[in-house]
Amino acid sequence: MNIGVYPGSFDPITYGHLDIIKRSAKLFDRLIVAVLSNPQKSSLFTVDERIEMIRESIYNTPNVEIDSFKGLLIDFARLKQARVIVKGLRAVSDFEYELQMALMNKKLDDHIETIFIMTSSNYSYLSSSIVKEVSSFGGCVASLVPPLVEERLKQKFNNN
Ligand code: PNS
């Protein structure tokens, strides 16, 4: 079975992430969306909240599952018998950091490849951080995240 892992913080999931999920799901028998659980990294949403928002946002993708992981991504990928890590690339600015991670992961396990999918141009400027910033000041993020996520952001920032 051809298994891929798409890791991230997903704090929260955006249409940019969903674009990568839908496109990469076609490349694998199973795609595991892996939510990073890192108590050292401050996040707006809990892991459970992030997973719920992803679950509610993906549909018509029966081969996509959601899980969370702690520690090294490569250990999680190995545990799930995934041969491929999927990352989205938005702009040249992503490249240096992603290259570093891909090379380190390759060093940790030579049998697991990282592949990159170019984010659709509509979403090349989009990130969870920018969505949180806009929402925190009451800006409209309806075109950037699914309706449930928009609602949850409003609740977090008391912008109802
Ligand atoms: O959505 P993000 O925050 O850009 O995702 C980053 C993520 C989760 C892919 C990255 O931080 C990660 O893989 N963390 C797990 C720890 C790890 O494996 N570090 C070594 C990578 S070289």
Side-chain angles (χ1 to χ4, degrees):
M1 200 184 259
N2 188 10
I3 303 171
V5 170
Y6 176 44
S9 302
F10 305 105
D11 185 42
I13 189 156
T14 68
Y15 281 139
H17 296 126
L18 285 168
D19 171 52
I20 302 292
I21 292 173
K22 281 179 194 147
R23 288 160 61 203
S24 53
K26 295 180 191 148
L27 306 176
F28 302 99
D29 299 312
R30 274 174 70 202
L31 177 72
I32 304 169
V33 178
V35 179
L36 177 69
S37 169
N38 182 358
Q40 266 109 55
K41 202 172 160 182
S42 74
S43 54
L44 180 63
F45 293 99
T46 67
V47 171
D48 287 346
E49 288 171 329
R50 286 181 265 159
I51 288 176
E52 192 211 344
M53 286 185 283
I54 300 170
R55 185 162 291 124
E56 295 291 323
S57 305
I58 55 171
Y59 47 90
N60 288 339
T61 45
N63 62 330
V64 177
E65 52 197 85
I66 309 157
D67 208 337
S68 64
F69 74 103
K70 288 190 171 91
L72 288 178
L73 170 62
I74 208 78
D75 290 338
F76 177 79
R78 213 184 281 124
L79 182 77
K80 295 290 171 179
Q81 296 181 321
R83 301 288 300 277
V84 177
I85 293 167
V86 179
K87 303 300 287 290
L89 264 192
R90 288 166 300 194
V92 180
S93 49
D94 281 346
F95 182 78
E96 210 168 322
Y97 179 57
E98 291 296 345
L99 176 69
Q100 189 184 22
M101 279 203 289
L103 293 178
M104 180 52 77
N105 282 329
K106 181 110 179 109
K107 189 155 185 64
L108 293 170
D109 191 328
D110 196 27
H111 298 101
I112 298 177
E113 290 293 341
T114 301
I115 65 163
F116 293 95
I117 293 187
M118 302 302 155
T119 305
S120 301
S121 54
N122 326 1
Y123 305 124
S124 59
Y125 63 95
L126 189 53
S127 69
S128 298
S129 311
I130 209 155
V131 164
K132 283 184 279 193
E133 180 160 339
V134 171
S135 185
S136 71
F137 293 114
C140 178
V141 294
S143 61
L144 312 178
V145 296
L148 172 75
V149 177
E150 185 192 7
E151 199 47 50
R152 292 291 153 82
L153 282 163
K154 282 182 182 167
Q155 286 164 2
K156 285 276 179 196
F157 295 122
N158 292 318
N159 284 333
N160 271 317

